[in-house]
Amino acid sequence: MIEELTTHTWIERKTFCPAAGGADPGTKDHALESIEEHHVLLWMLSELEGLDPSDERFDAKMSVLMANVRHHVEEEEKEWFPEVRKAIGRNRLTELGEQMEAAKKKAPPIPSPCPAPSSRRPGGLVSSHVQKSRSRSRDGARAD
Ligand SMILES: [Fe+2]
């Protein structure tokens, strides 16, 4: 579970969020919420990784994690992904799927707590991800 959810956050942060933000700036609020939810998810996973299942907090932490994941998946699948699907087009969607599949191989196997996302970047958090992705594409470098 920890590996799968860590991979999910990794590939969405590195590939999907920048592509979605570039395709439809109108979905920025969804992207920002997703980034924050991923941040909380990674934090909880990093705590669970070192927690013995017999610890009195284990079940409670798992319960909160599962509620957060269900909320996250529902919003992505019912709201954000359909909007991006309309905006991005079939060819780009296929290409993005291939990029996401390739990114899985680079995903770290375990989470590490990451600093809170900062909106102090020029242009805001989503815009900076999009700009970074575009400059990598322009330079012919792969997103990592
Ligand atoms: Fe996600």
Side-chain angles (χ1 to χ4, degrees):
M1 174 197 75
I2 289 173
E3 278 186 37
E4 290 297 323
L5 290 173
T6 300
T7 298
H8 169 88
T9 62
W10 172 266
I11 65 175
E12 279 195 3
R13 185 166 49 100
K14 295 295 184 179
T15 60
F16 188 79
C17 289
D24 186 357
T27 67
K28 180 181 175 184
D29 287 346
H30 281 298
L32 288 169
E33 186 172 337
S34 181
I35 289 166
E36 294 298 335
E37 288 171 352
H38 287 166
H39 173 69
V40 170
L41 181 61
L42 283 174
W43 193 269
M44 293 191 76
L45 290 172
S46 71
E47 290 181 350
L48 274 168
E49 207 219 355
L51 195 62
D52 191 293
S54 65
D55 189 288
E56 68 177 0
R57 296 176 306 148
F58 188 86
D59 288 348
K61 198 172 285 289
M62 279 299 299
S63 177
V64 171
L65 175 77
M66 294 309 297
N68 285 346
V69 168
R70 285 189 182 107
H71 165 82
H72 180 77
V73 168
E74 187 169 333
E75 280 197 346
E76 283 189 344
E77 293 185 355
K78 290 186 178 170
E79 297 174 24
W80 193 28
F81 291 173
E83 292 172 3
V84 173
R85 192 175 295 124
K86 280 184 201 166
I88 209 165
R90 181 175 294 274
N91 290 341
R92 178 66 183 116
L93 206 54
T94 300
E95 182 182 289
L96 182 57
E98 291 166 0
Q99 289 172 349
M100 292 174 81
E101 196 62 40
K104 279 184 181 179
K105 295 174 185 141
K106 292 177 149 186
I110 56 171
S112 59
C114 54
S118 171
S119 59
R120 292 186 190 152
R121 297 175 186 173
L125 186 60
V126 173
S127 297
S128 68
H129 277 293
V130 171
Q131 287 169 353
K132 197 184 316 181
S133 174
R134 285 182 178 155
S135 73
R136 283 183 179 148
S137 294
R138 194 174 45 244
D139 296 341
R142 291 178 52 188
D144 58 2

